[in-house]
Amino acid sequence: MAVPIVEEFIELAEIDTVSRQERAMVDALKGKLEALGCTVREDDTASKVDDGTAGNLIAVLEGQTEGSVLLAAHVDRVQNGFGIKPQVRDGKIVSDGTTVLAADDLSGVAAILDGLRRVQASGARHPRVEVLFSVCEEIGVQGTLHLDPAQFQSKFGFVLDSPGRIGKVLDSAMGKAELFLEVTGKSAHAAYPELGVSATRAAVLLLSRLGDGRIDDETVLNWSYLVAPGPCNAIPDKASAKAFAMSRDNDKLAAYLNAFVDAAAQVAEETGAKMDASYVVNYPSFYVPSDRPPIRIMERVFSKLGIPISVQHGAGGLDANRLNGYGIECVGLATGYSGNHTVNEVLELEDLIRSGEMVEQIILESAAV
Ligand SMILES: [Zn+2]
């Protein structure tokens, strides 16, 4: 028996897509959302991302009750996602073993479409539904970086994008920053070290004063790259280092970044080397407490559906990081995939089908907030 959400997932997976090349996917989804009664617009993210071809899709289904809920999923996928041949096998959807399946995140996209379809078919009164189908999520959560949050009325939402079985709710994820160090010393013959300033020594001195690895329960740091090119018979005048830092606590991340800049200034003074210490905060962390609407709604939804809820802390970034940063309180939701970003990616058929029911119930329960 044909199940609409399964058919639609397979149809979407067969559309060749990768981050920055989402044009065909966005066009197909625009048509689907309009057919479901939504007003749809595409934002100008395509012009703000290098080599971008499509923007984020923002769709609105007007409601008949109070309230507004945001539902989000990303439409791009990692590399090796062209020519996907999805197949249903033993209660799971898999690729043919040569590509990813793109259940990350088309299972989320298909669940949102299915939830809208169910709500429309039931004729139930519902709140305003805002849908965000983002581009370029897999390349540093870039699509939502360029999103205009003012276009949303929703104060809370749900990002359907997390590996794991249905029932899993991500109440948090780490924020991330990249750190860059460029040291300029003074070159001299190795036999006359007094005449030079070693960039290598200054870089190592700085790193020795900074934490690395696990800093605390909520913060990790990885100085992954350190290079000082040049011959061994000369004092090195150039050294570079890079790191990334992740933390569940935006204040702790900021404290480390400040400590990095301060320590670099200190080492510059002590050694005479020029130390350029800079950083970029890629996205902030988020944490949604259990008494907030997104978690209370999921408790009601899963209890209605007879699915055990499992609230967990996430690690890496997703669109929910940015949406929370914009003041829209969002949790992450699993839709039943695992092994994502590999050719062994698997989507549980039962979870996919139930994800559509989950979205329907989220929409209905969001009216009560
Ligand atoms: Zn994803």
Coordinates of all heavy atoms in Angstrom, one line a residue, residues 197-277:
V197 N 63.7 36.8 16.3 CA 62.5 36.6 17.3 C 61.8 35.3 16.7 O 61.3 35.4 15.6 CB 61.6 37.8 17.3 CG1 60.3 37.4 18.2 CG2 62.3 39.0 17.8
S198 N 61.8 34.3 17.5 CA 61.3 33.0 17.0 C 59.7 33.0 17.0 O 59.1 33.1 18.1 CB 61.8 31.8 17.8 OG 61.0 30.7 17.4
A199 N 59.1 33.0 15.8 CA 57.6 32.9 15.8 C 57.1 31.6 16.4 O 56.1 31.5 17.0 CB 57.2 33.1 14.4
T200 N 57.9 30.5 16.2 CA 57.5 29.2 16.7 C 57.4 29.2 18.2 O 56.5 28.8 18.8 CB 58.5 28.1 16.2 OG1 58.6 28.1 14.8 CG2 58.1 26.7 16.7
R201 N 58.5 29.8 18.8 CA 58.5 29.8 20.3 C 57.4 30.6 20.8 O 56.7 30.3 21.8 CB 59.9 30.4 20.7 CG 60.1 30.2 22.2 CD 61.4 30.7 22.7 NE 61.3 31.0 24.1 CZ 60.9 32.2 24.6 NH1 60.7 33.2 23.7 NH2 60.8 32.4 25.8
A202 N 57.1 31.8 20.2 CA 56.0 32.6 20.7 C 54.7 31.9 20.6 O 53.8 32.0 21.5 CB 56.0 33.9 19.9
A203 N 54.5 31.2 19.5 CA 53.2 30.5 19.3 C 53.1 29.4 20.3 O 52.0 29.2 21.0 CB 53.1 29.8 17.9
V204 N 54.1 28.6 20.6 CA 54.1 27.5 21.5 C 53.9 28.1 22.9 O 53.1 27.5 23.7 CB 55.3 26.6 21.4 CG1 55.4 25.6 22.6 CG2 55.4 25.9 20.1
L205 N 54.5 29.2 23.2 CA 54.4 29.8 24.5 C 52.9 30.2 24.8 O 52.4 29.9 25.9 CB 55.3 31.0 24.6 CG 55.5 31.7 25.9 CD1 56.1 30.7 26.9 CD2 56.4 33.0 25.8
L206 N 52.3 30.7 23.8 CA 50.9 31.1 23.9 C 50.0 29.9 24.1 O 49.2 29.8 25.1 CB 50.4 31.9 22.6 CG 48.9 32.1 22.6 CD1 48.5 33.0 23.8 CD2 48.5 32.8 21.3
L207 N 50.2 28.8 23.3 CA 49.4 27.6 23.4 C 49.5 27.0 24.8 O 48.6 26.4 25.3 CB 49.6 26.7 22.3 CG 49.3 27.2 20.9 CD1 49.2 26.0 19.9 CD2 48.1 28.0 20.8
S208 N 50.8 27.1 25.3 CA 51.0 26.4 26.6 C 50.3 27.1 27.7 O 50.0 26.5 28.8 CB 52.5 26.4 26.9 OG 52.9 27.7 27.2
R209 N 49.8 28.3 27.5 CA 49.1 29.1 28.5 C 47.6 29.0 28.4 O 46.9 29.5 29.2 CB 49.5 30.6 28.5 CG 50.9 30.8 28.9 CD 51.3 32.2 28.8 NE 52.7 32.3 29.1 CZ 53.4 33.5 29.1 NH1 52.7 34.6 28.8 NH2 54.7 33.5 29.4
L210 N 47.2 28.3 27.3 CA 45.7 28.2 27.0 C 45.3 26.8 27.3 O 46.1 25.8 27.1 CB 45.4 28.6 25.6 CG 45.7 30.0 25.2 CD1 45.5 30.2 23.7 CD2 44.7 31.0 25.9
G211 N 44.1 26.6 27.7 CA 43.6 25.2 27.8 C 43.4 24.6 26.5 O 43.3 25.2 25.5
D212 N 43.4 23.3 26.5 CA 43.2 22.5 25.2 C 42.4 21.2 25.6 O 42.5 20.8 26.8 CB 44.5 22.2 24.6 CG 44.4 21.5 23.2 OD1 43.4 21.9 22.5 OD2 45.2 20.7 22.9
G213 N 41.7 20.6 24.7 CA 41.0 19.4 25.0 C 39.7 19.8 25.8 O 39.1 20.8 25.5
R214 N 39.4 19.0 26.8 CA 38.3 19.3 27.6 C 38.6 20.4 28.6 O 39.4 20.2 29.5 CB 37.7 18.1 28.3 CG 36.5 18.4 29.2 CD 35.6 17.2 29.5 NE 35.0 16.6 28.4 CZ 34.0 17.1 27.7 NH1 33.5 18.3 28.1 NH2 33.5 16.5 26.7
I215 N 38.0 21.5 28.5 CA 38.2 22.7 29.4 C 37.4 22.5 30.7 O 37.8 22.8 31.8 CB 37.9 24.0 28.7 CG1 38.6 24.1 27.4 CG2 38.1 25.2 29.6 CD1 40.0 24.3 27.4
D216 N 36.1 22.2 30.5 CA 35.2 21.9 31.6 C 34.1 21.0 31.1 O 34.1 20.6 29.9 CB 34.7 23.2 32.3 CG 34.0 24.1 31.3 OD1 33.1 23.6 30.5 OD2 34.3 25.3 31.2
D217 N 33.1 20.8 31.9 CA 32.0 19.9 31.6 C 31.3 20.3 30.3 O 30.7 19.5 29.6 CB 30.8 20.0 32.7 CG 31.2 19.2 33.9 OD1 32.3 18.7 33.9 OD2 30.4 19.2 34.8
E218 N 31.3 21.6 30.0 CA 30.5 22.1 28.9 C 31.3 22.7 27.7 O 30.7 23.1 26.7 CB 29.6 23.3 29.4 CG 28.7 22.8 30.6 CD 27.9 24.0 31.1 OE1 28.4 25.0 31.5 OE2 26.6 23.9 31.0
T219 N 32.6 22.6 27.9 CA 33.5 23.3 26.8 C 34.6 22.4 26.4 O 35.3 21.8 27.2 CB 34.1 24.6 27.4 OG1 33.0 25.3 28.1 CG2 34.7 25.5 26.4
V220 N 34.8 22.3 25.1 CA 36.0 21.6 24.5 C 36.7 22.5 23.5 O 36.1 23.4 22.9 CB 35.6 20.3 23.8 CG1 35.1 19.2 24.8 CG2 34.5 20.5 22.7
L221 N 38.0 22.2 23.4 CA 38.8 23.0 22.6 C 39.8 22.1 21.8 O 40.3 21.1 22.3 CB 39.6 23.9 23.4 CG 39.8 25.2 22.7 CD1 38.9 26.3 23.2 CD2 41.2 25.6 22.5
N222 N 40.1 22.4 20.6 CA 41.0 21.6 19.8 C 41.9 22.5 18.9 O 41.5 23.0 17.9 CB 40.1 20.7 18.8 CG 41.0 19.7 18.1 OD1 42.0 19.3 18.6 ND2 40.6 19.4 16.9
W223 N 43.1 22.6 19.4 CA 44.2 23.3 18.6 C 44.7 22.2 17.6 O 45.5 21.4 18.0 CB 45.3 23.8 19.5 CG 44.9 25.1 20.2 CD1 44.5 25.3 21.4 CD2 44.9 26.4 19.6 NE1 44.2 26.6 21.7 CE2 44.4 27.3 20.6 CE3 45.3 26.9 18.3 CZ2 44.3 28.7 20.3 CZ3 45.1 28.3 18.1 CH2 44.7 29.1 19.1
S224 N 44.2 22.3 16.4 CA 44.4 21.2 15.5 C 45.5 21.4 14.5 O 45.9 20.5 13.8 CB 43.1 21.0 14.7 OG 42.7 22.2 14.0
Y225 N 46.0 22.7 14.4 CA 46.9 23.0 13.3 C 47.9 24.0 13.8 O 47.6 25.0 14.5 CB 46.0 23.6 12.2 CG 46.8 24.3 11.0 CD1 46.9 23.6 9.9 CD2 47.2 25.6 11.1 CE1 47.6 24.2 8.8 CE2 47.9 26.2 10.0 CZ 48.0 25.5 8.9 OH 48.6 26.0 7.8
L226 N 49.2 23.6 13.6 CA 50.3 24.6 14.1 C 51.4 24.4 13.0 O 51.9 23.3 12.9 CB 50.8 24.2 15.5 CG 52.0 24.9 16.0 CD1 51.7 26.4 16.1 CD2 52.4 24.4 17.4
V227 N 51.8 25.5 12.4 CA 52.8 25.3 11.3 C 53.7 26.6 11.4 O 53.2 27.7 11.6 CB 52.1 25.1 9.9 CG1 51.3 26.3 9.5 CG2 53.2 24.8 8.9
A228 N 55.0 26.3 11.2 CA 56.0 27.4 11.0 C 56.9 26.9 9.9 O 57.9 26.2 10.2 CB 56.7 27.5 12.4
P229 N 56.6 27.3 8.7 CA 57.4 26.9 7.6 C 58.8 27.5 7.6 O 58.9 28.6 8.1 CB 56.6 27.3 6.4 CG 55.8 28.4 6.8 CD 55.6 28.2 8.3
G230 N 59.8 26.9 7.0 CA 61.1 27.5 7.0 C 62.2 26.5 7.3 O 61.9 25.4 7.8
P231 N 63.4 26.8 6.9 CA 64.6 25.9 7.1 C 65.0 25.9 8.6 O 64.8 26.8 9.3 CB 65.7 26.5 6.2 CG 65.4 28.0 6.2 CD 63.9 28.1 6.3
C232 N 65.7 24.8 9.0 CA 66.1 24.6 10.3 C 67.3 25.5 10.7 O 67.6 25.7 11.9 CB 66.4 23.2 10.6 SG 64.9 22.2 10.8
N233 N 67.9 26.0 9.7 CA 69.1 26.9 10.0 C 68.8 28.4 10.1 O 69.7 29.2 10.0 CB 70.2 26.6 9.0 CG 69.8 26.9 7.6 OD1 68.7 27.4 7.3 ND2 70.7 26.7 6.6
A234 N 67.5 28.7 10.2 CA 67.1 30.1 10.3 C 66.0 30.2 11.4 O 65.2 29.2 11.6 CB 66.5 30.6 9.0
I235 N 66.1 31.3 12.1 CA 65.0 31.5 13.2 C 63.7 31.8 12.4 O 63.7 32.6 11.5 CB 65.4 32.8 14.0 CG1 66.8 32.8 14.6 CG2 64.3 33.1 15.0 CD1 67.0 31.7 15.6
P236 N 62.7 31.0 12.8 CA 61.4 31.2 12.0 C 60.7 32.5 12.3 O 60.6 32.9 13.4 CB 60.6 30.0 12.5 CG 61.1 29.7 13.9 CD 62.6 30.1 13.9
D237 N 60.3 33.2 11.2 CA 59.7 34.5 11.4 C 58.2 34.4 11.2 O 57.5 35.4 11.3 CB 60.3 35.6 10.5 CG 60.1 35.3 9.0 OD1 59.7 34.1 8.7 OD2 60.3 36.2 8.2
K238 N 57.7 33.2 10.8 CA 56.2 33.1 10.6 C 55.7 31.8 11.3 O 56.4 30.7 11.2 CB 55.9 32.9 9.1 CG 56.1 34.2 8.3 CD 55.0 35.1 8.4 CE 55.3 36.4 7.5 NZ 54.9 37.6 8.2
A239 N 54.6 31.9 12.0 CA 53.9 30.7 12.5 C 52.4 30.9 12.5 O 52.0 32.1 12.7 CB 54.4 30.4 14.0
S240 N 51.7 29.9 12.3 CA 50.2 30.0 12.3 C 49.6 28.9 13.1 O 50.2 27.7 13.1 CB 49.6 29.9 10.9 OG 50.4 30.6 10.0
A241 N 48.5 29.1 13.7 CA 47.8 28.0 14.4 C 46.3 28.3 14.3 O 45.9 29.4 14.1 CB 48.2 28.0 15.9
K242 N 45.5 27.2 14.3 CA 44.1 27.3 14.2 C 43.5 26.3 15.2 O 44.1 25.3 15.6 CB 43.6 26.8 12.9 CG 43.8 27.8 11.8 CD 43.1 27.3 10.5 CE 43.8 27.9 9.3 NZ 43.5 27.1 8.0
A243 N 42.3 26.7 15.7 CA 41.6 25.8 16.7 C 40.1 26.0 16.5 O 39.7 27.0 15.9 CB 42.0 26.2 18.1
F244 N 39.4 25.0 17.0 CA 38.0 25.4 17.2 C 37.6 25.1 18.6 O 38.1 24.2 19.3 CB 37.0 24.9 16.1 CG 36.6 23.5 16.2 CD1 35.8 23.0 17.2 CD2 36.9 22.6 15.2 CE1 35.3 21.7 17.2 CE2 36.4 21.3 15.2 CZ 35.6 20.9 16.2
A245 N 36.6 25.9 19.1 CA 36.1 25.7 20.5 C 34.6 25.5 20.4 O 33.9 26.1 19.6 CB 36.4 27.0 21.2
M246 N 34.1 24.6 21.3 CA 32.7 24.4 21.3 C 32.3 24.4 22.8 O 33.0 23.9 23.7 CB 32.3 23.0 20.8 CG 32.6 22.9 19.3 SD 32.1 21.3 18.6 CE 30.4 21.6 18.4
S247 N 31.1 25.0 23.1 CA 30.6 25.1 24.5 C 29.1 25.1 24.5 O 28.5 25.7 23.6 CB 31.2 26.3 25.2 OG 30.8 26.2 26.6
R248 N 28.6 24.5 25.6 CA 27.1 24.6 25.8 C 26.8 26.0 26.4 O 25.6 26.3 26.5 CB 26.7 23.6 26.8 CG 26.7 22.2 26.3 CD 26.0 21.2 27.1 NE 26.4 19.9 26.6 CZ 26.0 19.5 25.4 NH1 25.1 20.2 24.7 NH2 26.4 18.4 24.9
D249 N 27.8 26.7 26.9 CA 27.6 28.0 27.6 C 28.2 29.1 26.8 O 29.5 29.1 26.7 CB 28.2 27.8 29.0 CG 28.0 29.0 29.9 OD1 27.9 30.1 29.3 OD2 27.8 28.8 31.1
N250 N 27.4 30.0 26.3 CA 28.0 31.1 25.5 C 28.9 32.0 26.3 O 29.9 32.5 25.7 CB 26.8 32.0 24.9 CG 26.0 31.2 23.9 OD1 26.6 30.5 23.1 ND2 24.7 31.4 23.8
D251 N 28.7 32.1 27.6 CA 29.6 32.9 28.4 C 31.0 32.3 28.5 O 32.0 33.0 28.5 CB 29.0 33.2 29.8 CG 27.8 34.0 29.7 OD1 27.6 34.7 28.7 OD2 27.0 34.0 30.7
K252 N 31.0 31.0 28.7 CA 32.3 30.3 28.8 C 33.1 30.3 27.5 O 34.3 30.5 27.5 CB 32.0 28.8 29.2 CG 31.7 28.6 30.6 CD 31.5 27.2 31.0 CE 31.1 27.0 32.4 NZ 30.7 25.6 32.8
L253 N 32.3 30.2 26.4 CA 33.0 30.3 25.1 C 33.6 31.7 25.0 O 34.8 31.9 24.6 CB 32.0 30.1 24.0 CG 32.5 29.9 22.6 CD1 33.5 28.8 22.5 CD2 31.3 29.7 21.6
A254 N 32.8 32.7 25.3 CA 33.3 34.1 25.2 C 34.5 34.3 26.1 O 35.5 35.0 25.8 CB 32.2 35.1 25.6
A255 N 34.5 33.7 27.3 CA 35.6 33.9 28.3 C 36.9 33.3 27.7 O 38.0 33.9 27.8 CB 35.3 33.2 29.6
Y256 N 36.8 32.1 27.0 CA 37.9 31.5 26.4 C 38.5 32.4 25.3 O 39.7 32.6 25.2 CB 37.6 30.1 25.9 CG 38.9 29.4 25.5 CD1 39.6 28.6 26.4 CD2 39.4 29.6 24.2 CE1 40.8 28.0 26.0 CE2 40.6 29.0 23.8 CZ 41.3 28.2 24.7 OH 42.5 27.6 24.3
L257 N 37.6 32.9 24.5 CA 38.0 33.8 23.4 C 38.7 35.0 23.9 O 39.8 35.4 23.3 CB 36.8 34.1 22.5 CG 36.1 32.9 21.8 CD1 34.8 33.4 21.2 CD2 37.0 32.3 20.8
N258 N 38.2 35.6 24.9 CA 38.9 36.8 25.5 C 40.2 36.4 26.1 O 41.2 37.2 25.9 CB 38.0 37.4 26.6 CG 36.8 38.1 26.0 OD1 36.8 38.5 24.9 ND2 35.7 38.2 26.8
A259 N 40.3 35.3 26.7 CA 41.6 34.8 27.3 C 42.6 34.6 26.3 O 43.8 34.9 26.4 CB 41.3 33.5 28.1
F260 N 42.2 34.1 25.1 CA 43.1 33.9 24.0 C 43.7 35.2 23.5 O 44.9 35.3 23.4 CB 42.2 33.2 22.9 CG 42.9 33.1 21.5 CD1 44.2 32.6 21.3 CD2 42.2 33.6 20.4 CE1 44.7 32.5 20.0 CE2 42.8 33.6 19.1 CZ 44.0 33.0 18.9
V261 N 42.8 36.2 23.3 CA 43.3 37.5 22.8 C 44.2 38.2 23.9 O 45.3 38.7 23.5 CB 42.1 38.4 22.5 CG1 42.5 39.8 22.2 CG2 41.3 37.8 21.3
D262 N 43.8 38.1 25.1 CA 44.7 38.7 26.2 C 46.0 38.0 26.3 O 47.1 38.7 26.4 CB 43.9 38.6 27.6 CG 42.7 39.5 27.6 OD1 42.6 40.3 26.7 OD2 41.9 39.4 28.5
A263 N 46.0 36.7 26.3 CA 47.3 35.9 26.4 C 48.2 36.2 25.2 O 49.4 36.3 25.4 CB 47.0 34.4 26.5
A264 N 47.6 36.4 24.0 CA 48.4 36.7 22.8 C 49.1 38.1 23.0 O 50.3 38.2 22.7 CB 47.5 36.7 21.6
A265 N 48.4 39.1 23.6 CA 49.0 40.4 23.8 C 50.1 40.3 24.8 O 51.2 40.9 24.6 CB 47.9 41.3 24.3
Q266 N 49.9 39.5 25.8 CA 50.9 39.3 26.8 C 52.2 38.7 26.2 O 53.3 39.1 26.5 CB 50.3 38.3 27.9 CG 51.2 38.0 29.1 CD 51.3 39.3 30.0 OE1 50.3 40.0 30.2 NE2 52.5 39.6 30.5
V267 N 52.0 37.6 25.4 CA 53.2 36.9 24.8 C 53.9 37.9 23.8 O 55.1 37.9 23.7 CB 52.7 35.6 24.1 CG1 53.9 35.0 23.3 CG2 52.3 34.6 25.2
A268 N 53.1 38.7 23.1 CA 53.7 39.7 22.2 C 54.7 40.6 23.0 O 55.8 40.9 22.6 CB 52.7 40.5 21.5
E269 N 54.2 41.0 24.1 CA 55.0 41.9 25.0 C 56.3 41.3 25.5 O 57.4 41.8 25.4 CB 54.1 42.4 26.1 CG 54.5 43.7 26.7 CD 53.5 44.1 27.8 OE1 52.3 44.2 27.5 OE2 54.0 44.3 28.9
E270 N 56.1 40.0 25.9 CA 57.3 39.3 26.4 C 58.3 38.9 25.4 O 59.5 38.9 25.7 CB 56.8 38.0 27.1 CG 56.0 38.3 28.4 CD 55.4 37.0 28.9 OE1 55.9 35.9 28.6 OE2 54.3 37.1 29.6
T271 N 57.9 38.6 24.2 CA 58.8 38.0 23.2 C 59.2 39.0 22.1 O 60.2 38.8 21.4 CB 58.2 36.8 22.5 OG1 57.0 37.3 21.8 CG2 57.8 35.7 23.4
G272 N 58.4 40.0 21.9 CA 58.7 41.0 20.8 C 58.1 40.5 19.5 O 58.2 41.2 18.5
A273 N 57.4 39.4 19.5 CA 56.8 38.9 18.2 C 55.5 39.6 18.1 O 54.8 40.0 19.0 CB 56.5 37.4 18.3
K274 N 55.0 39.8 16.8 CA 53.7 40.3 16.6 C 52.7 39.2 16.6 O 52.9 38.2 15.8 CB 53.7 41.0 15.2 CG 52.5 41.7 14.8 CD 52.7 42.6 13.6 CE 51.4 43.2 13.0 NZ 50.6 42.2 12.3
M275 N 51.7 39.3 17.4 CA 50.7 38.2 17.6 C 49.3 38.7 17.1 O 48.7 39.5 17.7 CB 50.6 37.8 19.0 CG 51.9 37.5 19.8 SD 52.7 36.0 19.3 CE 51.7 34.8 20.2
D276 N 48.9 38.2 16.0 CA 47.5 38.5 15.5 C 46.6 37.3 16.0 O 46.6 36.3 15.4 CB 47.5 38.6 14.0 CG 48.1 39.9 13.5 OD1 47.9 40.9 14.2 OD2 48.8 39.9 12.5
A277 N 45.8 37.6 17.0 CA 44.9 36.6 17.5 C 43.5 37.1 17.1 O 43.0 38.2 17.5 CB 45.0 36.5 19.0

